[in-house]
Amino acid sequence: MSPQRLHDKYKSRILLQNESSRDADLVKLMAANGERGTVSHVLNHIPEQYEDIYTVLIDDRSVVTFEIPRAAGALTVKELSVFSLGQYRDELGQGKRRIRLDRAAEDARKLLIK
């Protein structure tokens, strides 16, 4: 397996305020609920029948998990959980999700330094 393929396997999506409207809406939604940051990475997105569940790393300090109902036009948070990076990392244990979290935190640190 080439190193490039291995690296891409664990990449996370970065939320940018000026990109697609969905990304901008997610950033605004987190800010409205008190979670502001410069860099946001989507670690996990689970589309379900009645809601979408997101797990987002904010900067390199906290992880937010929330549900957004799929009601027509409504963009509100149903449930919101905030974890410190260390606490969330310990709960994950080992495996792909932990590798993805560590790489996203490393990428966030690089972007924050610039």
Side-chain angles (χ1 to χ4, degrees):
M1 187 178 298
S2 72
Q4 180 64 33
R5 184 169 177 194
L6 180 64
H7 182 69
D8 289 346
K9 185 176 182 181
Y10 299 109
K11 255 190 165 170
S12 58
R13 184 169 64 98
I14 298 174
L15 292 176
L16 300 172
Q17 292 180 349
N18 57 357
E19 287 285 321
S20 73
S21 62
R22 185 69 173 170
D23 286 358
D25 290 344
L26 287 175
V27 170
K28 288 176 188 173
L29 190 62
M30 288 186 297
N33 285 285
E35 297 303 318
R36 290 182 171 83
T38 306
V39 180
S40 300
H41 285 80
V42 176
L43 299 173
N44 200 10
H45 172 222
I46 304 170
E48 292 191 352
Q49 187 172 3
Y50 297 108
E51 69 265 337
D52 288 333
I53 302 171
Y54 288 91
T55 303
V56 179
L57 172 68
I58 298 178
D59 292 340
D60 63 340
R61 59 181 167 76
S62 62
V63 178
V64 180
T65 302
F66 56 93
E67 295 180 14
I68 300 175
R70 287 191 173 201
L75 193 61
T76 59
V77 172
K78 186 176 175 186
E79 293 182 26
L80 181 98
S81 302
V82 181
F83 305 94
S84 70
L85 179 61
Q87 179 186 10
Y88 189 77
R89 191 173 185 272
D90 290 342
E91 286 183 17
L92 281 181
Q94 297 178 352
K96 293 178 187 178
R97 293 178 68 192
R98 172 96 171 245
I99 293 170
R100 185 175 293 124
L101 175 67
D102 290 343
R103 293 217 176 140
E106 181 182 324
D107 290 345
R109 285 184 201 107
K110 288 177 186 175
L111 291 170
L112 289 169
I113 291 172
K114 290 183 180 182

